[in-house]
Amino acid sequence: MEESLSRDLPVFPLNVNVLPGGYLPLQIFEPRYLDMVKNSMNKEIGFCVHLIKPGTTNNDLSFYKKGTYVEIVDFNQLENGLLGITVQGKYRIEVLDEKIQEDGLRIGTIFELAEEEESVNLKPSYTNIWNILKDLSKHPEIQKLQLEIDFNSSSNVAYNLASLLPLTPPEKQTILEADKNSEKLDFLDQVLKKLGG
């Protein structure tokens, strides 16, 4: 079953990551990634963003296999002359296999990870998470982002709130790695308590 749903896409390992629904601004300057962006825009397909594992060197690059398929939603030339793009996370993916092109661009055989369908938003312990996201989504600056929030979907709520909170890349990775909605929400609940929410 996995074979029929897998496809080959460029992999962009970074020191930051993005969750489904979230936005990530990037500066592109390496030739292989400039080509990747050009190709992505011409073919109207995205690429995959993965968090580099701590302690990794360029010679021995290691990244988390679970990442996010992203699509370019905006681009412009930055004041420093570099290409700036903004990508939006679309869904979680996992790299099953990878090969490296001559120019150094990684091409991964990726598989889309399904989200758990059951919704756990009725549990009283998670009410706080829904309320905070509802409050944040009313803020004028957040409304400018035009986030697609589905309050009936636990995974959607978790990703959107996590994208808006000041989470570190490893904290975002914890949410990407969690397959169960309750795991995502329990982790967010701990984060909110630390933030005093």
Side-chain angles (χ1 to χ4, degrees):
M1 182 178 168
E2 285 193 3
E3 290 305 309
S4 63
L5 294 172
S6 66
R7 56 189 179 137
D8 289 354
L9 285 171
V11 171
F12 198 177
L14 293 165
N15 288 313
V16 292
N17 48 5
V18 63
L19 297 169
Y23 294 93
L24 180 65
L26 296 168
Q27 286 188 50
I28 309 294
F29 52 89
E30 288 186 52
R32 60 185 160 174
Y33 295 125
L34 287 167
D35 287 345
M36 177 190 77
V37 167
K38 185 177 168 188
N39 193 37
S40 186
M41 292 175 80
N42 285 342
K43 294 184 176 173
E44 296 186 354
I45 55 164
F47 51 91
C48 306
V49 169
H50 291 264
L51 183 65
I52 295 171
K53 290 183 177 177
T56 291
T57 63
N58 279 344
N59 297 335
D60 183 27
L61 187 69
S62 180
F63 57 88
Y64 292 96
K65 297 303 177 199
K66 286 185 182 175
T68 306
Y69 170 79
V70 302
E71 291 178 354
I72 299 167
V73 292
D74 193 20
F75 67 95
N76 60 320
Q77 189 169 2
L78 303 173
E79 286 179 12
N80 58 11
L82 298 177
L83 172 66
I85 64 170
T86 300
V87 298
Q88 183 182 25
K90 294 298 178 182
Y91 49 81
R92 287 188 319 146
I93 52 102
E94 187 167 0
V95 172
L96 304 176
D97 194 19
E98 65 165 317
K99 56 184 180 282
I100 300 176
Q101 293 183 166
E102 278 184 27
D103 63 359
L105 184 70
R106 291 166 185 273
I107 302 295
T109 301
I110 66 108
F111 177 68
E112 181 179 347
L113 295 169
E115 296 298 342
E116 187 182 30
E117 284 187 25
E118 59 80 52
S119 181
V120 290
N121 64 353
L122 299 177
K123 287 192 181 179
S125 55
Y126 298 132
T127 307
N128 190 30
I129 291 171
W130 262 253
N131 289 341
I132 288 171
L133 183 58
K134 281 175 183 169
D135 288 346
L136 280 174
S137 65
K138 291 173 190 165
H139 191 282
E141 289 302 311
I142 303 299
Q143 286 184 338
K144 285 181 192 172
L145 296 173
Q146 297 181 326
L147 298 174
E148 294 164 11
I149 302 174
D150 178 0
F151 285 104
N152 293 316
S153 164
S154 301
S155 58
N156 184 285
V157 165
Y159 291 140
N160 275 291
L161 183 56
S163 295
L164 295 173
L165 293 174
L167 297 188
T168 64
E171 286 173 329
K172 286 183 181 174
Q173 190 64 35
T174 298
I175 289 173
L176 277 175
E177 297 281 340
D179 290 322
K180 290 188 175 297
N181 291 332
S182 57
E183 291 171 6
K184 294 179 178 74
L185 295 169
D186 286 340
F187 182 74
L188 274 177
D189 202 37
Q190 290 172 4
V191 169
L192 288 168
K193 282 174 180 151
K194 274 198 296 189
L195 292 171

